[in-house]
Every structure is written in structure tokens, then in C-alpha cells.
């Protein structure tokens, strides 16, 4: 579970089904947009500061028994822009010259530990979606998932699998950690950038690594994934 600290210029922050009215505050967030309760970021001095607070890793139905690291924010999609919008993201000014949405890649120069959105002096915007990267290391002899990224807009996702060398795995999705009634078994894979994709399975390389692409949709605020070795 990831928790973040949010600080806003005034009025708090809205996300679907979640509102911060006393800022700064520290609460777990659902996926969704980041917008001021008073509206778009469009006046001098308005900002939303979204910072990582804590990570709790739950393994095999237990609580807090795993370890992991929050690597940082890898991207953000700016929404509701007009053609003259100037937006400041983590101290960098963006003037896309487009209406609607614009994707900002935060991973090009290394992952950013936080997400600071500030009025850039023209136009309007808010954060429609954002992406983060988390690493959960593998225990000896186990299967681990790491470097998970998810676009909350179109549902596209990718994750790295670490297991045994030259071994075939599938991904399974469920609504809880019991996995007794999985939603997808296996998850349909759309590609593999490391390892070899065969249908909806992937075979790790000689170091036991694979990275696969898939789509989880955008209807859920939370879901659970695990990798399983196939016969």
C-alpha cells in the first residue's frame, strides 16, 4: 500500500471518491485525477504538491511482512489544457500548445520523488493520471514482481518478473490476496520487452528476468497481481 502527503494552495484536493479538506494531510489515495476543490490550477500561486510518504508490502495474506522501495514518479498526464496553457511540473515549464491532454515524461532524466504541479502563468490544467514505479525484491527461490507501472487513463500496464532462469510464468489478477476466485487467469499479455512471450505466458531469460505488457482497464481503484509458474 502506498501513502502520499498532499499539500495544496487552497481548498484541498479532489480525487474520485476522495477529498482532502485539511492540508497538508496524509491519506492513502485511489487512482484518479488530482484537482483543486476550487477548480483547475489556473491562477498565480496555485499548486498541488504530491509527495511519497510510506510503502507497506503485504505478502501471502499477512500485513507488512515484505520489503520494497518507492522508486519515484515516472509520468503525469495534464488534462483540460487550452492552447495557451503553461504548466510547471517539478520546476520545469511546459507549454504544449494543445487543447485537452498532454503527457509529461518524468523518467527521462531519472524518476522524480515527488509531483509538484504549479500554475505557469497562463491557461488552466489539472493532473488527469500519473504513473509511479515501485520495486519489490525477490526472496531467494521465490517469484517477484517489480517496476510496475499503470496508466490510469487507458489501463495499459507493465511489470517485471524475477524468478528462475528460462522458466515460463503467467500473471494472475484478483480482487484480494486470497486469489481463490481470480478475475483473470491468465492475464492477456500484449507484449514482452525482456524474455519471450508465448501466448499469454512469458519465459524468463538466462538471468531469470522478464518484463511484460498488458492492460488492466480503468474500472478498478485497486487490484492484486501475482506470477505463477506454468507446467
Amino acid at each position: 500500500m502506498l501513502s502520499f502527503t498532499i499539500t495544496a494552495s487552497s481548498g484541498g484536493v479532489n480525487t474520485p471518491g476522495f477529498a482532502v479538506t485539511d492540508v497538508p494531510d496524509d491519506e492513502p489515495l485511489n487512482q484518479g485525477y488530482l484537482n483543486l476543490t476550487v477548480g483547475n490550477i489556473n491562477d498565480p500561486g496555485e499548486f498541488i504538491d504530491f509527495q511519497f510518504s510510506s510503502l507497506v508490502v503485504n505478502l501471502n495474506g499477512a500485513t507488512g511482512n515484505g520489503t520494497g522501495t518507492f522508486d519515484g514518479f515516472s509520468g503525469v498526464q495534464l488534462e483540460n489544457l487550452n492552447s495557451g496553457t503553461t504548466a510547471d511540473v517539478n520546476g520545469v515549464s511546459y507549454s504544449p500548445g494543445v487543447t485537452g491532454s498532454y503527457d509529461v515524461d518524468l523518467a527521462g532524466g531519472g524518476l522524480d520523488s515527488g509531483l509538484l504541479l504549479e500554475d505557469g502563468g497562463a491557461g488552466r490544467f489539472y493532473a488527469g493520471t500519473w504513473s509511479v514505479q515501485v520495486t519489490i525484491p525477490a526472496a531467494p527461490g521465490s517469484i517477484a514482481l517489480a517496476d510496475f507501472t499503470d496508466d490510469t487513463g487507458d489501463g495499459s500496464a507493465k511489470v517485471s518478473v524475477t524468478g528462475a532462469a528460462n522458466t515460463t510464468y503467467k500473471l494472475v489478477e484478483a480482487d484480494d490476496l486470497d486469489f481463490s476466485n481470480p478475475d483473470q487467469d491468465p492475464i492477456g499479455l500484449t507484449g514482452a520487452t525482456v524474455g519471450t512471450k508465448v501466448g499469454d505466458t512469458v519465459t524468463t531469460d538466462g538471468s531469470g528476468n522478464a518484463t511484460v505488457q498488458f492492460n488492466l482497464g480503468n474500472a478498478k481503484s485497486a487490484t492484486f497481481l501475482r506470477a505463477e509458474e506454468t507446467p
Side-chain angles (χ1 to χ4, degrees), residues 89-177:
V89 180
N90 289 355
V92 178
S93 180
Y94 295 88
S95 300
V98 300
T99 59
S101 63
Y102 179 76
D103 292 326
V104 175
D105 180 10
L106 298 175
L111 297 171
D112 286 0
S113 60
L115 182 60
L116 175 60
L117 309 172
E118 299 175 279
D119 173 65
R124 62 175 188 254
F125 75 99
Y126 65 87
T129 61
W130 60 90
S131 300
V132 299
Q133 182 170 301
V134 176
T135 298
I136 309 297
S142 67
I143 307 168
L145 301 181
D147 299 335
F148 174 78
T149 60
D150 175 33
D151 187 322
T152 57
D154 63 17
S156 60
K158 70 175 181 177
V159 72
S160 296
V161 181
T162 301
N166 304 311
T167 302
T168 301
Y169 297 97
K170 64 179 180 178
L171 292 181
V172 181
E173 179 190 13
D175 288 333
D176 54 51
L177 290 171

Side-chain angles (χ1 to χ4, degrees), residues 33-77:
Y33 61 84
L34 281 174
N35 197 5
L36 295 171
T37 55
V38 296
N40 297 302
I41 299 173
N42 60 357
D43 286 322
E46 289 188 336
F47 71 90
I48 297 174
D49 190 7
F50 192 50
Q51 298 288 328
F52 167 72
S53 177
S54 64
L55 169 65
V56 177
V57 179
N58 303 327
L59 300 177
N60 301 320
T63 301
N65 62 329
T67 61
T69 57
F70 176 79
D71 300 321
F73 288 84
S74 58
V76 60
Q77 185 180 66

Side-chain angles (χ1 to χ4, degrees), residues 210-228:
T211 300
V212 293
Q213 300 158 324
F214 48 99
N215 194 296
L216 294 174
N218 55 14
K220 296 181 179 180
S221 62
T223 194
F224 297 92
L225 305 179
R226 75 179 182 188
E228 298 178 1

